[in-house]
Amino acid sequence: MSDSPPHLFDRRLLVARRNRAARGFAQAHFLRQRAIEDTLMTLSAINRQFDLALELGAGDGGFGRALADMPVAAKVGLLIESDLSPRLSAQQSGPARVILDEEQLPFGDDRLNLVVSTLALHTVNDLPGVLVQIRRALKPDGLFIGTLFGGETLKELRGCLMEAEIEIRGGYGPRIAPFAEGADLIDLLKRTAFQMPVVDSDRVTVSYEHPLRLMADLRAMAESNILYDRPRKGLNRALLQKTTELYFERFADDEGRINATFEIITLSGWKAHESQQKPLRPGSAKTRLADALGVKEGKL
């Protein structure tokens, strides 16, 4: 039995898609902007200084520019912006930029105070392995904050595509990647030895005049299908027409527009440090619960 990570995503194709999307990346920036806001909100609530920070999947540098315009920027020293795409990296405006693969971090142990990632880690093949690399690169008491798409994302489009392809072609091939669930992610943070893990979910409903506009936005975001097992047959006219009919039939609002759900999950965790608060050992409490509640203790 092989211990190698699964190959769900074609990362070379991802680079090509991100390079292709670079010119118009800002046109479909609204979901990244939401993820950036969620990340900055989390960071703003933490009273800590982070001298050296890394952003994974920085895209065109939107997080760095948003950070610079907020008071929380005073908490962050040097921000290293990184991305797989050379064309996106060229659009970043920060002083430190690097082209790297999130699956193979080039940093030694205990180097960074903060690692953030906005909507990039849902396309790595080995998320547990990436989280372990992030934890190792962090200094003790270093912080990781990541946002990625969750399981509710594109549930409407997924169902309509599946049913349309089964009806027209007699079978279905995966066209939308599976996304992680929040409960699984908090377990994953614990398994990869992050302390004080927190996971929050933010559901965003986006209205479109037509499903084809939704698909155009996905291409502009570089979020079109990069699964290794993706169908090699494209979406022909008949399949698109049937998908559109199903979408309008099931998800159109009173104005005749269709809705698309995106779930943005924010997860955070700390690298262990002796100064961090630790849970008490069972039986080590100094005050009985009955005394604290002012009641008599009895047997059940």
Side-chain angles (χ1 to χ4, degrees):
M1 186 174 180
S2 175
D3 292 330
S4 60
H7 290 284
L8 299 175
F9 302 106
D10 186 339
R11 301 279 291 176
R12 290 185 179 181
L13 181 59
L14 176 61
V15 175
R17 295 275 170 84
R18 290 179 76 81
N19 279 332
R20 185 185 67 184
R23 179 176 295 182
F25 201 67
Q27 297 174 9
H29 193 60
F30 57 95
L31 289 175
R32 276 186 60 84
Q33 189 60 40
R34 185 71 166 257
I36 287 169
E37 291 171 1
D38 290 346
T39 302
L40 289 173
M41 185 180 301
T42 300
L43 192 58
S44 296
I46 297 169
N47 186 21
R48 193 69 58 85
Q49 195 71 26
F50 302 99
D51 295 334
L52 183 59
L54 168 70
E55 182 185 7
L56 295 173
D60 62 352
F63 174 80
R65 287 189 290 272
L67 174 67
D69 292 336
M70 295 187 64
V72 70
K75 299 179 182 180
V76 181
L78 177 64
L79 174 65
I80 304 169
E81 296 174 303
S82 71
D83 200 274
L84 272 170
S85 163
R87 293 183 183 178
L88 282 173
S89 181
Q91 297 180 25
Q92 298 162 7
S93 55
R97 295 174 289 169
V98 61
I99 298 168
L100 61 77
D101 186 341
E102 298 91 354
E103 295 186 339
Q104 300 178 24
L105 301 187
F107 302 95
D109 293 353
D110 305 330
R111 303 292 183 181
L112 306 168
N113 304 104
L114 172 69
V115 176
V116 299
S117 178
T118 52
L119 297 184
L121 298 184
H122 57 278
T123 55
V124 298
N125 285 301
D126 181 16
L127 184 55
V130 170
L131 289 177
V132 168
Q133 290 184 64
I134 291 171
R135 178 180 54 77
R136 288 175 176 170
L138 285 168
K139 293 181 179 180
D141 211 27
L143 174 64
F144 164 65
I145 306 173
T147 60
L148 65 165
F149 287 123
E152 294 290 298
T153 300
L154 295 174
K155 61 182 181 180
E156 303 91 350
L157 181 60
R158 185 195 309 272
C160 292
L161 275 171
M162 181 182 298
E163 186 168 333
E165 192 163 17
I166 290 173
E167 179 176 327
I168 291 173
R169 292 177 173 167
Y172 170 75
R175 296 189 180 275
I176 298 176
F179 299 108
E181 301 290 342
D184 296 331
L185 288 171
I186 199 161
D187 287 342
L188 183 55
L189 285 171
K190 292 176 181 177
R191 285 198 293 115
T192 50
F194 278 96
Q195 307 299 304
M196 297 175 285
V198 176
V199 172
D200 291 314
S201 176
D202 181 13
R203 286 177 175 81
V204 183
T205 301
V206 184
S207 175
Y208 287 94
E209 62 182 13
H210 198 280
L212 292 181
R213 286 301 313 148
L214 165 60
M215 295 181 192
D217 266 0
L218 293 176
R219 288 193 295 273
M221 298 173 196
E223 293 293 348
S224 49
N225 194 357
I226 60 165
L227 288 166
Y228 267 114
D229 294 333
R230 64 191 180 279
R232 291 324 191 241
K233 284 186 177 181
L235 299 175
N236 60 22
R237 181 176 298 180
L239 188 51
L240 285 172
Q241 182 175 344
K242 185 61 182 179
T243 299
T244 296
E245 290 175 0
L246 291 171
Y247 214 130
F248 275 113
E249 178 184 312
R250 296 176 182 177
F251 301 109
D253 60 21
D254 293 339
E255 298 179 356
R257 297 174 64 87
I258 58 99
N259 292 322
T261 299
F262 295 89
E263 182 183 13
I264 299 174
I265 294 179
T266 302
L267 55 156
S268 62
W270 297 82
K271 185 168 180 175
H273 186 265
E274 60 184 10
S275 67
Q276 292 168 358
Q277 185 175 357
K278 296 177 177 61
L280 294 173
R281 298 188 310 275
S284 63
K286 296 181 179 179
T287 302
R288 296 187 312 141
L289 179 59
D291 293 339
L293 297 177
V295 298
K296 290 184 178 181
E297 186 175 10
K299 294 183 179 180
L300 293 177

